[in-house]
Amino acid sequence: MSELSQSEMDVLVVGAGPTGLTMAAELAARGVGCRIVDKTPVRSGRSRALVIHARSLELLQKMGIADELVTLGRRTLKITPFVGGRPAANLELGDIGVDDTPYPFLLFVSQAETERMLEKHLEGLGVKVERPVELLTFEEDAEGVSARLRHEDGYEENVRTRYVVGADGAHSAVRHALGLSFEGDAYPQDFVLADTKIDWEGEPDRLYFFLSRRGLLALFPLAESYSYRLIAPRPGSLPHGFDDPTLEEFQQLATALSPIPMKLHSPSWLARFRLHHRGVNSYQVGRAFVAGDAAHIHSPAGGQGMNTGIQDAYNLAWKLALVIEGHAPDSFLDSYHEERHPIGQRLLRTTDRMFKVAATRNPLLIALRNFLIPRVLPLVIGERSRRARAFRFVSQLGIKYPDSPIVGEELGGADRAFRRGPAAGHRAPDGPLRLADDRRMVSLFSRLRGTPHQLLLFAGSTADGWSTSGTELHDLLTEYESLLKPHLIVAREHAPKVGTIPAYVDEPGLLHERYGLKGAGYYLIRPDGYVAFRAPGTDLRPVRAYLQRTFASPALIKTQPR
């Protein structure tokens, strides 16, 4: 890429919340020239989101910041819902039934901390958030986008960029400029929030939900000991108007709704807010994209909002980088909307249902809810397989893109086990491996960092099949050397090596099993950890055909700097 002046860039990212910071960081990590602007003078110290789910942590692990976030937060797999003053269930989810992720838990950590870590990571890549800088207008032409920015002192700057990404929240200037619909509505209830300390006999690492005919109160653990976030619908009969709540008001709610006596004190944040459920009709218009809250807003049920925004950004960033670097055609970017829009719509529907059940004021629905929860929840968590399904849903590990235009598979000659393995567009699972050279134990995910696609060559108990296909494999890796990074995975200690490809031993055969293989086969894993292509055996012609129809020609790729 040529050097860019201050007013020229490949991507302009608007909005510096978790979505925008993830976008800018991933672009910068791939050598893409970008700027990120935000109209607020300083990064907020408030934390709207509290939960980072396993799927987001896997992506943050690729960025190198997940483990530090885990040390800053509070893990939990304990949930107790009270219905009518009695515990409906004690959800002790220690054996969650999910062992193919490094993060089988909910991580409660302040959004402010998440943003701080992402911004620190971004600055380490040479990019700083520009504040306060506001996007005023932008127009697209055949060559790119012309945008006008306004700085704090009133100076207006004209910039040229190839693409614009709107990660600028629910009131997105990018979305408004594109004229995208934002269909949905506001929930009728007012809600109140308090981040406060509590003196009580509750457990500090447990989620509590108190549901009764009189209302709903949710308690989420914060990182500091005996600190919680309390959220409740505001009783409509109270004459508070549009004022923020007081600690006394929350104490009244806690006394009325919690059967466990509690004394609230030392609040750090008290706020009133409204909830909406809205989504755009398209995530892309020409050279402009929307992501995160600019594309979808919904109730906090399940703690999905920030996580979905981070995953939106990661999905788009690597695709933009490949197109900008000349590795993929412009049409490659269509997959962003085709993959993420259905996820956003499904999220809106799911959180809407969950929220309406929890916050209903209908006496009949309240009675039905209070009758069903104590009876249904024990069934959901009673078996390991059910706990696993529930966790995969909430943690977003179950998200997949089977209908994506940029994934594929060759199942000719595949046995039943391989067909049941992770299909094209599904998330690739983690597993333990041993380095063939020095016998250190590592995880597969720890080997899949970086920007290329990862080619997993499974060999079963012998690597002979890959040795005999050496010329074909060598040619493929040479042609697509800037796009592919190979890994050889064998099921016994002394299998022969294949050239200089890094080799790993899957001694118990667990990873082969998770990928549906007893012998040879291969998986091409996208930078975001989903299966791009798979096939049994060692015939590389199917993956070559996939690469040829999906990406630019090898000759063009080799002329582009990485």
Side-chain angles (χ1 to χ4, degrees):
M1 286 178 295
S2 61
E3 290 189 1
L4 303 173
S5 69
Q6 182 179 8
S7 295
E8 294 178 342
M9 70 214 76
D10 289 319
V11 183
L12 173 64
V13 180
V14 184
T19 302
L21 291 168
T22 300
M23 173 67 64
E26 283 304 291
L27 291 172
R30 289 164 169 77
V32 174
C34 68
R35 287 172 65 181
I36 176 170
V37 301
D38 196 289
K39 67 180 182 180
T40 60
V42 295
R43 175 165 44 83
S44 174
R46 304 300 188 189
S47 180
R48 290 191 302 157
L50 289 179
V51 183
I52 305 181
H53 287 303
R55 182 65 191 124
S56 297
L57 285 169
E58 290 178 353
L59 297 177
L60 295 171
Q61 181 193 45
K62 291 175 177 289
M63 300 170 69
I65 63 175
D67 292 343
E68 187 171 352
L69 275 171
V70 170
T71 64
L72 294 171
R74 187 187 296 276
R75 309 182 193 190
T76 187
L77 283 171
K78 300 178 181 179
I79 307 172
T80 297
F82 281 76
V83 177
R86 297 180 179 179
N90 280 310
L91 311 189
E92 303 285 349
L93 305 180
D95 182 13
I96 197 65
V98 175
D99 52 9
D100 63 358
T101 177
Y103 308 103
F105 48 80
L106 308 180
L107 179 67
F108 282 81
V109 63
S110 162
Q111 179 177 329
E113 283 292 339
T114 303
E115 291 182 4
R116 183 184 66 81
M117 289 296 301
L118 283 167
E119 191 164 349
K120 177 183 175 183
H121 173 64
L122 177 62
E123 290 179 355
L125 295 167
V127 178
K128 287 191 174 183
V129 177
E130 302 176 42
R131 299 177 184 271
V133 178
E134 182 180 5
L135 174 69
L136 298 177
T137 62
F138 66 91
E139 292 183 356
E140 179 179 339
D141 54 46
E143 301 298 324
V145 178
S146 295
R148 181 175 287 271
L149 305 176
R150 181 165 60 203
H151 293 253
E152 182 178 19
D153 60 2
Y155 168 69
E156 294 187 3
E157 176 189 7
N158 293 318
V159 301
R160 286 287 294 175
T161 181
R162 294 179 65 175
Y163 299 97
V164 173
V165 177
D168 46 344
H171 303 289
S172 169
V174 173
R175 186 186 67 242
H176 284 298
L178 294 174
L180 293 172
S181 68
F182 204 38
E183 298 177 359
D185 206 347
Y187 290 105
Q189 301 99 321
D190 257 12
F191 286 81
V192 285
L193 170 154
D195 287 353
T196 183
K197 287 184 173 294
I198 303 178
D199 292 336
W200 70 327
E201 295 182 359
E203 295 183 39
D205 59 348
R206 184 180 292 272
L207 282 71
Y208 290 90
F209 297 93
F210 302 105
L211 301 98
S212 73
R213 294 180 179 273
R214 292 176 288 179
L216 161 68
L217 178 64
L219 275 71
F220 303 94
L222 301 177
E224 190 176 355
S225 296
Y226 296 99
S227 292
Y228 286 84
R229 168 160 296 174
L230 283 65
I231 296 178
R234 198 172 216 173
S237 60
L238 295 179
H240 297 291
F242 297 101
D243 296 337
D244 285 338
T246 63
L247 186 63
E248 290 73 21
E249 179 183 345
F250 260 104
Q251 183 65 66
Q252 291 174 17
L253 286 169
T255 301
L257 298 174
S258 171
I260 306 176
M262 61 176 74
K263 179 176 175 54
L264 313 184
H265 64 94
S266 308
S268 58
W269 189 23
L270 296 162
R272 163 199 169 271
F273 60 96
R274 297 294 299 273
L275 294 174
H276 297 251
H277 51 105
R278 301 182 186 276
V280 295
N281 56 325
S282 178
Y283 282 29
Q284 176 187 7
V285 178
R287 293 177 175 270
F289 305 84
V290 289
D293 285 356
H296 45 77
I297 55 173
H298 39 79
S299 91
Q304 308 285 303
M306 180 184 72
N307 291 271
T308 305
I310 288 172
Q311 292 168 48
D312 286 344
Y314 209 102
N315 183 285
L316 178 58
W318 68 269
K319 296 173 182 177
L320 275 171
L322 288 180
V323 171
I324 289 167
E325 294 172 343
H327 293 199
D330 290 344
S331 59
F332 192 75
L333 297 175
D334 296 344
S335 66
Y336 171 61
H337 168 82
E338 295 183 36
E339 291 182 355
R340 297 303 297 174
H341 182 259
I343 300 301
Q345 292 296 304
R346 192 176 309 127
L347 179 65
L348 286 168
R349 292 192 298 270
T350 303
T351 56
D352 185 51
R353 293 190 192 108
M354 293 169 63
F355 177 81
K356 287 179 176 177
V357 169
T360 181
R361 293 179 177 175
N362 184 305
L364 291 177
L365 292 179
I366 289 174
L368 181 61
R369 178 196 69 192
N370 294 356
F371 175 80
L372 290 176
I373 286 178
R375 292 160 176 82
V376 172
L377 277 180
L379 294 177
V380 172
I381 67 167
E383 293 184 6
R384 192 172 189 267
S385 61
R386 290 174 180 165
R387 291 197 298 274
R389 283 196 296 271
F391 181 77
R392 288 186 186 279
F393 172 76
V394 172
S395 66
Q396 301 183 318
L397 293 175
I399 288 175
K400 51 194 172 187
Y401 314 120
D403 300 320
S404 171
I406 61 167
V407 303
E409 56 188 3
E410 173 57 59
L411 297 180
D415 60 19
R416 181 177 297 180
F418 186 78
R419 292 174 185 272
R420 290 178 176 174
H426 290 216
R427 168 186 165 272
D430 194 15
L433 291 169
R434 189 168 66 247
L435 296 176
D437 292 334
D438 61 15
R439 300 178 61 84
R440 282 186 298 123
M441 294 301 297
V442 297
S443 70
L444 174 64
F445 279 8
S446 71
R447 308 289 99 180
L448 302 188
R449 299 180 183 181
T451 60
H453 282 59
Q454 312 282 341
L455 182 60
L456 307 185
L457 306 169
F458 287 89
S461 60
T462 175
D464 292 342
W466 290 114
S467 298
T468 57
S469 64
T471 301
E472 184 183 8
L473 179 59
H474 177 269
D475 290 347
L476 181 74
L477 297 177
T478 301
E479 291 172 359
Y480 291 95
E481 60 181 344
S482 60
L483 188 68
L484 304 181
K485 182 179 179 181
H487 308 266
L488 179 66
I489 302 173
V490 298
R492 68 180 179 87
E493 183 71 40
H494 300 294
K497 293 185 177 181
V498 178
T500 59
I501 296 175
Y504 308 91
V505 180
D506 177 26
E507 191 170 54
L510 180 61
L511 210 58
H512 279 73
E513 179 182 347
R514 286 180 179 169
Y515 282 81
L517 288 162
K518 295 180 179 178
Y522 57 88
Y523 278 79
L524 182 64
I525 310 301
R526 306 185 337 179
D528 58 358
Y530 290 91
V531 176
F533 190 85
R534 67 168 183 158
T538 60
D539 183 357
L540 294 170
R541 287 174 296 179
V543 73
R544 181 186 294 275
Y546 164 80
L547 292 168
Q548 289 173 343
R549 68 175 178 265
T550 306
F551 300 102
S553 67
L556 177 59
I557 291 176
K558 292 177 71 174
T559 64
Q560 299 290 328
R562 189 70 191 166

